[in-house]
Amino acid sequence: GQIYSVNDARYFDWPEGLKKYIDTIRQGKGQHPKKYSARYVCSLVADFHRTIIYGGVAMNPRDHLRLVYEANPLSFLAEQAGGRGSDGKTRILSIQPVKLHQRLPLFLGSMEDMLELESYGDVQQKVNPGYDV
């Protein structure tokens, strides 16, 4: 796919690795020579559905989504479709919960897209200026 889904309004709050990844895929200079374009509905289910249908990457780089209730089920579906869920460093389904409402970033997409994203290192947004979770 050639679509990425993330809240671009927070671009300047993102860590450098995530900015570099987004800039690279938008220019078509990633591992796949295709230019990605943004489509963001601000609904995790809608953005993920489009990602499953058309390909690409859906993401929320903040420590916002709950591992047990949101990240695990969507990552399971992504893997059943041949993709992967990641927290930016690790496969979501490999993470053992330590708290019931444990929150983490969530990146969903093809196996290739997730491995490329993880290769940028610093993609998790740990600073959340202007809002609390």
Side-chain angles (χ1 to χ4, degrees):
Q2 295 177 248
I3 299 170
Y4 73 94
S5 178
V6 67
N7 186 353
D8 275 322
R10 300 286 182 196
Y11 179 88
F12 296 105
D13 298 334
W14 293 346
E16 289 306 312
L18 183 57
K19 288 180 187 177
K20 186 175 180 184
Y21 172 73
I22 294 295
D23 292 344
T24 300
I25 64 172
R26 284 173 59 176
Q27 295 172 40
K29 295 180 180 178
Q31 291 180 2
H32 304 286
K34 52 189 172 186
K35 293 181 179 180
Y36 284 56
S37 61
R39 300 286 184 276
Y40 183 64
V41 176
C42 194
S43 164
L44 178 61
V45 172
D47 287 327
F48 177 64
H49 180 261
R50 184 187 49 250
T51 300
I52 290 291
I53 300 299
Y54 298 108
V57 182
M59 61 184 89
N60 188 327
R62 304 186 289 144
D63 282 340
H64 180 70
L65 299 171
R66 291 166 295 188
L67 175 62
V68 175
Y69 307 117
E70 294 157 327
N72 274 340
L74 292 176
S75 295
F76 176 80
L77 293 173
E79 289 196 12
Q80 295 305 302
R84 184 172 182 212
S86 173
D87 71 349
K89 296 180 180 180
T90 307
R91 175 180 170 256
I92 291 290
L93 296 178
S94 296
I95 299 172
Q96 182 68 34
V98 293
K99 295 188 303 188
L100 182 60
H101 299 292
Q102 179 177 341
R103 294 179 184 268
L104 72 170
L106 179 61
F107 302 88
L108 300 159
S110 71
M111 182 68 74
E112 295 82 11
D113 281 329
M114 292 299 95
L115 293 174
E116 181 176 3
L117 172 101
E118 290 172 356
S119 75
Y120 283 78
D122 183 24
V123 297
Q124 296 177 333
Q125 181 182 342
K126 296 296 185 181
V127 177
N128 297 311
Y131 53 94
D132 292 316
V133 176

